[in-house]
Amino acid sequence: MQGNGSSTLNVAIIGAGPAGYYTAEALTTADECVHVDIIDRLPTPFGLIRAGVAPDHQSIKNVSRRYEATNCRSNVRFVGNLSLGRDITLAELGTLYDAVVLATGAAKDRPLGIEGEDLPGVIGSGPFVGWYNSHPDYKDLNPDLQVASVAVIGNGNVAVDVARVLAKTAEEMAGSDLASHAARPIHGSAIRDIHILGRRGPLEASFTPKELGELNILDNCVALVDPAQLPDESLDETLSGAAKKNMAILRAMAKNKPGDKPVRLHLMFYVRPMAVLGEERVCGLRLEKTRVEDGACVGTGETEVLPVGLVVPCIGYRTSPIADVPYNQRYGCFENEGGKIRDGLYCVGWAKRGPSGTIGTNKPDGSEVADRILAEIRPKGTKGRAGLEEIVAERGLHIVTFQDWKKIEAAEVAAASGPAPRQKFADVAEMVRLAES
Ligand SMILES: Cc1cc2nc3c(=O)[nH]c(=O)nc-3n(C[C@H](O)[C@H](O)[C@H](O)COP(=O)(O)OP(=O)(O)OC[C@H]3O[C@@H](n4cnc5c(N)ncnc54)[C@H](O)[C@@H]3O)c2cc1C
């Protein structure tokens, strides 16, 4: 089937993460006259599956096999190392394709909004997680881990991931794909105390039992909870699901002793950061104690200083704005109605709904936007991928195809040692050279 035939619906999806792939899958399953180009600024596909999901959670990354199967369809193409904004404009894509879907995720950290948050030593979870996961943007981050105490702000699974990756030993991470540039500083760090800080209480925390439970079985690190911060045990009977499981884990942690293991992980509830302290770099966090009223966090006015040399806020993300695309400041995503931004322009995944939900949440999102496109858009005889190739050739761009990516992947697997599944490359030029070799 020709990509520029008048019966072909040409769709460009910007972003090769879960949302982009689920949309491509839904579009091409429903109608084989749809041609999809999945464009990503990186030479590697799969978005946060590669650069966000924790390196020691390999089984979660297996979902990428489903995306590979989508990419093996003749009417789906991966176009890596092509950035919307840097290499091509939205207006250009709008003339080449019948519909454009923004699946660009939400890579920017939500700011803490407190004094001192720009001090060296405050590193948002976006860069920090990207660094230990070999994201090319953050390979040179080089955080100073020769500090005794760290604050990880937030009570979601990203905070738990960051704390666990910092706490695990080299042996515990042997089967992971932790970035090689991060392994030495992490495993040679001076960190002895890791604090996970939550504004509200244990019942309001959003971490899941599996992730929380992993904190209580670390080789070198003991998880500690102040029993006074846990609700009366009589309440446990009234709990169900994740809340009940979390409470059982927290009660077990409350029985641990600080001296049980060399490193301590403190789960601190009912505190909110008021200021990051320090002159040249961070040396502490001023915290205000809080209480919860009707589910909301209320300050008590009582403050304390937590001495820390590194602060990693894990408090959510925002989509990067794109010129001429309306933006919803409140939710940090594109303004849209059921995935539609305007005629011919759609969004999906975190770019559509903000940074919430699991990988699987992006699947119904992808189906919804695919259904809308198929119902609303008719082929207009656009050039599609042939037109994109002309622009790529004119501008001398080095795009990476799916076959190229498979070469990069094979080299990563070959470079791995021991039980590690791969040793990831983090340098774009190196990956492009490999792809072209
Ligand atoms: C640290 C972390 C850990 C997580 N762990 C889990 C987990 O264990 N289990 C789970 O279910 N969920 C997890 N999630 C959530 C899950 O990763 C998201 O639900 C999912 O990745 C969102 O998919 P997306 O496609 O919208 O965005 P992304 O996965 O972020 O994909 C967006 C893609 O767009 C590309 N892009 C951005 N801008 C441009 C541009 N201008 N031009 C071209 N391409 C561009 C990016 O390079 C990226 O590949 C985690 C999230 C984070 C942040």
Side-chain angles (χ1 to χ4, degrees):
M1 189 177 303
Q2 293 303 306
N4 54 1
S6 60
S7 62
T8 302
L9 189 74
N10 290 306
V11 180
I13 297 175
I14 318 303
Y21 270 100
Y22 286 125
T23 307
E25 181 185 322
L27 278 169
T28 54
T29 303
D31 189 338
E32 58 173 31
C33 287
V34 181
H35 275 192
V36 175
D37 282 353
I38 308 180
I39 295 169
D40 205 286
R41 60 187 282 265
L42 296 180
T44 54
F46 311 140
L48 286 172
I49 303 300
R50 179 175 165 95
V53 171
D56 57 335
H57 280 177
Q58 287 297 314
S59 60
I60 293 174
K61 293 177 190 267
N62 286 340
V63 68
S64 62
R65 296 204 187 120
R66 180 174 183 146
Y67 311 148
E68 289 203 10
T70 300
N71 224 121
C72 288
R73 295 178 181 181
S74 61
N75 48 350
V76 177
R77 190 173 73 153
F78 170 67
V79 186
N81 202 30
L82 186 77
S83 176
L84 169 61
R86 183 192 65 194
D87 301 318
I88 195 156
T89 66
L90 193 54
E92 286 170 328
L93 289 171
T95 61
L96 291 177
Y97 294 86
D98 297 300
V100 176
V101 183
L102 301 175
T104 47
K108 281 162 72 96
D109 279 284
R110 206 160 70 82
L112 277 170
I114 59 173
E115 191 189 319
E117 72 171 307
D118 295 326
L119 276 171
V122 181
I123 305 176
S125 60
F128 197 78
V129 170
W131 170 70
Y132 67 59
N133 266 329
S134 306
H135 191 296
D137 288 359
Y138 307 115
K139 68 181 172 40
D140 300 319
L141 187 75
N142 200 15
D144 182 2
L145 302 185
Q146 290 308 312
V147 296
S149 181
V150 178
V152 181
I153 302 174
N155 261 183
N157 280 342
V158 175
V160 171
D161 280 356
V162 167
R164 188 184 68 253
V165 168
L166 284 175
K168 273 192 170 180
T169 61
E171 292 71 30
E172 286 175 290
M173 291 300 274
S176 79
D177 60 3
L178 179 66
S180 51
H181 58 242
R184 199 173 307 128
I186 289 178
H187 300 134
S189 89
I191 297 169
R192 289 296 167 266
D193 290 280
I194 302 169
H195 307 83
I196 297 184
L197 310 178
R199 284 184 307 162
R200 297 185 293 163
L203 292 175
E204 289 80 26
S206 56
F207 31 62
T208 48
K210 179 185 167 289
E211 276 70 21
L212 182 65
E214 285 178 77
L215 296 181
N216 206 23
I217 49 167
L218 298 170
D219 286 355
N220 216 27
C221 176
V222 58
L224 302 167
V225 176
D226 177 356
Q229 293 204 316
L230 299 181
D232 193 89
E233 267 184 70
S234 60
L235 191 89
D236 293 10
E237 291 305 306
T238 66
L239 300 175
S240 60
K244 187 170 189 148
K245 290 181 189 161
N246 278 349
M247 196 51 65
I249 297 164
L250 292 168
R251 292 206 190 283
M253 289 173 170
K255 296 195 176 106
N256 295 335
K257 302 275 177 299
D260 286 350
K261 293 177 188 171
V263 179
R264 294 165 295 274
L265 194 157
H266 313 261
L267 283 124
M268 292 171 67
F269 299 100
Y270 304 108
V271 279
R272 68 176 174 200
M274 302 302 285
V276 182
L277 308 175
E279 295 286 329
E280 306 273 289
R281 54 169 295 117
V282 49
C283 67
L285 260 185
R286 181 174 305 119
L287 303 171
E288 181 184 25
K289 295 193 176 163
T290 66
R291 61 174 181 272
V292 172
E293 280 177 16
D294 297 330
C297 161
V298 179
T300 62
E302 194 186 335
T303 63
E304 63 175 309
V305 170
L306 184 70
V308 287
L310 173 69
V311 176
V312 187
C314 306
I315 57 164
Y317 303 92
R318 298 170 68 80
T319 295
S320 296
I322 293 176
D324 299 328
V325 181
Y327 194 81
N328 184 318
Q329 292 293 346
R330 182 159 176 224
Y331 295 109
C333 60
F334 297 123
E335 199 71 71
N336 70 92
E337 186 270 305
K340 182 170 178 176
I341 298 173
R342 59 178 176 250
D343 286 348
L345 184 64
Y346 299 83
C347 59
V348 69
W350 278 16
K352 172 200 166 197
R353 58 175 206 277
S356 64
T358 61
I359 295 162
T361 318
N362 300 295
K363 188 167 183 288
D365 242 27
S367 299
E368 186 190 9
V369 84
D371 288 348
R372 277 197 88 141
I373 291 171
L374 294 174
E376 294 176 359
I377 306 286
R378 292 287 159 265
K380 297 189 287 279
T382 50
K383 284 184 169 178
R385 59 182 61 173
L388 184 70
E389 269 158 20
E390 281 169 21
I391 290 193
V392 165
E394 268 166 30
R395 296 182 187 166
L397 302 171
H398 295 266
I399 60 164
V400 170
T401 66
F402 200 71
Q403 290 68 31
D404 294 336
W405 149 245
K406 293 306 282 181
K407 273 202 249 174
I408 297 168
E409 187 188 39
E412 289 187 339
V413 171
S417 55
R422 65 190 70 80
Q423 186 176 314
K424 285 179 182 169
F425 296 111
D427 188 81
V428 171
E430 191 182 1
M431 285 190 267
V432 170
R433 261 198 311 278
L434 240 164
E436 290 177 347
S437 65

